[in-house]
Amino acid sequence: MRARFVAFPLVLTLGLGSACGASSGGDTGTGTDGGDDDGALDAAIEARTDELLADMTLEEKLSLKAGSGLGEGVWLTPGISRLGLRGMAMVDGPRGVSKETGNNTAFPVAMARGATWDVDLERRIGAAIGLEARARGASVLLGPCINMLRHPRWGRAQETYGEDVHHLSRFGVAYIEGAQTELMASAKHFVANSIEDTRFDVSVDLDDRTLREIYLPAFRAAVQEAEVASVMTAYNRVDGAYMAEQAELLGILKDEWGFAGFVESDWIWGTKSTVPSALAGLDIEMPDDNFFGEPLREAVDAGEVPVDVIDASVRRVIRAQVAWGLVSEGPADPFEAAPASVLERDEHLALAREAATKSMVLLRNEGALPLAEDIGSVAVVGALADTPNIGDNGSSDVEPSRVITPLAGLRAALPDAVVDHLAADDTLDMAEAADVAAADAVVVVVGLTDEDEGEYIPLINPTGDRDSLLLSDAHQQLIADVAAQNPNTVVVLQGGATIVVDPWHDSVQAIVMAWYAGGEGGHALADLLLGRENFSGHLPVSVPVAEADLVPFDNESLEVTYDYFHGYRALDRDGVTPRYAFGHGLSYTSFDYDDLREGASEDSDTLVFTVDVRNTGAVAGDDVVQLYVGFPQSAAMRNERELRAFERVTLQPDETKSVQLEVSLAELTWWDPDAQAWTRHTGPLRVEVGRSAVDLPLRLDTTMP
Ligand code: BGC
């Protein structure tokens, strides 16, 4: 691997923050090796930034504070040719490069990737998306979306990774680390963006602990661990103030966390003012200069925005470009576009397939799966089985050259079987019922599409939040009709987050949550249904028995209050058992957990636990070992249990591995609102290990160090 730029840890030490990584694409990396030169490079970046800033007129500085519209599918920010500053090009997004640029690899949506619990895979996907973005001429990737999923009816649930703080943070960091081997990443949407229909105005009111412990950690990790180059503000308000003018929160980001990159607003409706936004710390208005540009010039002339504030902000924008080679005669290697040959290359399609395979969750299996290799006939039912259905058509939309649907995947995998498609989408007529009854097995594909959930963009994409967590009446009817005809019914669900299955789940043999599985999803599904691959996905969200078991979702009022609890934490608090718990996922094999023990940690920042995991079944498989902590005697309010570590492990039949789980002591603190500081817990610490938030066979009681 050739290093292109500065090593991250060193950048952090020097407080530069936004400088860059190394090219993993191997196609265009041009550069310098790291090592001893890093310190000198960092210093050179700072010096060149200062030099450029000193050379700029006020007019030029102000021009850098707003976008300059749309280029070829990428959003541009101005350069200054006199000074060799190229400007930046930004592109979405979270599941592949935006369709506005052409055909690119469509990965499973982020929520599906969250279900892989495989952060190394996510790092590779971040790098692949980054490389394709670079082939589209982008220098900034508008992702990851690391908004906490408070409720699965959020229209953009599919763009984030799940409902848990630790899991979300790990995935955000992995995506950024991967993407930033190629270009700058932008973590979005800062912060508490989790309702679509009212996203442009709603005020989310959060108490201190909820903000610090639930909604901010993924962003803090993005800044302090992954050194994200940029952060996008959310449209919504927090505690009454629009995020682009939320001085307190932008202060936490920049001053308290030491974020040295730049902050851009979300698009069009994300900037609401000139002076408050400039003073609060919004660096760039996107995508045009409605409030910055001329109005900002007037505000500076009138003394309402000090030149020092402009300088500090513009310095961030310049430094990012210096560090990423977007300035001629700069210290970093020149930023180059990647060749078009990387787009949808085989390696990326294989990665998309791997992600889809690892993401699908076997929720229930009473024996219908796996389908026999020599199966004679499969009836594939439902219009979605033959429809490319890979997610929302808002800003995260990706258009691959091909989408392998469930039907296409099954037909390719079973060339000698009769694989009939019945496109019925509600009830079966008599002929269809007879076909279903005669088949050896039935696969019903139902769920959601971009008409049920998605980003809310007025006039363009008005879908927004989901109305319900249930399937439509038509799809429920279809399942009932099929199940009445054939006992070997497998239901495959498509969608961006939790689907409540209780009205019908007992009537079918097997249920698979397949999410929006990307361009290669149909192949992955067929491999799994046939047992050529083993299921290993685990839910990153809870599936309750009924929506009423979750916290309320209010997508109508303009002021909502978020408390400390949601998802499995709220279910635990209320003593409510979900249908399928956070972390749940079945396999074709079985695993046994034994001998949870605390080990000696190599450093003072972590606790180390080890558990022996054995594959007790007949086939190889991956399991996701999950560790939850609890503080039985905590004086401060706590969740009953909180995920603090997880590991994916691959085991052959009868094989046992000792799996090590590291818990960061920094994650065993709570935010003391009186002291305005993170405070270490004292006293007993309960550690539980198992396969989901309700399947925790091992427990160890220890004491906080
Ligand atoms: C979305 C962002 C996206 C931006 C640019 C906005 O509407 O909220 O997530 O990155 O558009 O397309």
Side-chain angles (χ1 to χ4, degrees), residues 359-371:
S359 74
M360 294 187 188
V361 183
L362 182 58
L363 295 174
R364 169 184 172 89
N365 186 17
E366 297 298 306
L369 293 176
L371 303 175

Side-chain angles (χ1 to χ4, degrees), residues 75 92 142 156 159 188-189 199 232 235 266-267 395 455 457:
W75 302 95
D92 288 292
L142 301 173
R156 297 180 82 176
E159 290 187 51
K188 65 188 188 182
H189 311 81
R199 70 170 171 162
M232 184 192 298
Y235 289 120
D266 202 343
W267 266 233
S395 63
E455 185 176 350
I457 308 175

Side-chain angles (χ1 to χ4, degrees), residues 639-695:
N639 292 292
E640 184 64 19
R641 57 182 56 79
E642 300 168 2
L643 182 78
R644 282 296 178 266
F646 58 88
E647 278 298 328
R648 237 183 122 96
V649 55
T650 302
L651 292 165
Q652 300 304 315
D654 254 345
E655 189 185 8
T656 301
K657 276 186 188 162
S658 295
V659 178
Q660 195 162 302
L661 298 145
E662 285 188 18
V663 177
S664 152
L665 280 173
E667 286 191 89
L668 300 183
T669 54
W670 61 285
W671 180 260
D672 181 345
D674 296 329
Q676 285 292 294
W678 292 101
T679 308
R680 174 87 63 87
H681 278 277
T682 52
L685 172 70
R686 189 188 61 222
V687 176
E688 294 170 296
V689 170
R691 309 189 68 244
S692 83
V694 303
D695 178 9

Side-chain angles (χ1 to χ4, degrees), residues 244-247 250 272-282 292 304-305:
E245 46 193 51
Q246 231 295 0
L250 292 178
K272 306 272 189 193
S273 65
T274 301
V275 177
S277 304
L279 293 180
L282 177 65
F292 286 2
E304 291 170 307
V305 178

Side-chain angles (χ1 to χ4, degrees), residues 53 56 58-67 77-80 85 87-88 283-285 292 313-315 317-318 321:
L53 188 67
M56 278 181 197
L58 180 61
E59 229 65 54
E60 286 170 335
K61 290 175 188 170
L62 291 174
S63 74
L64 298 188
K65 283 190 58 69
T77 73
I80 300 175
L85 206 65
M88 297 181 281
D283 298 313
I284 305 180
E285 175 186 12
F292 286 2
S313 168
V314 170
R315 193 175 193 287
V317 181
I318 302 170
Q321 296 183 55

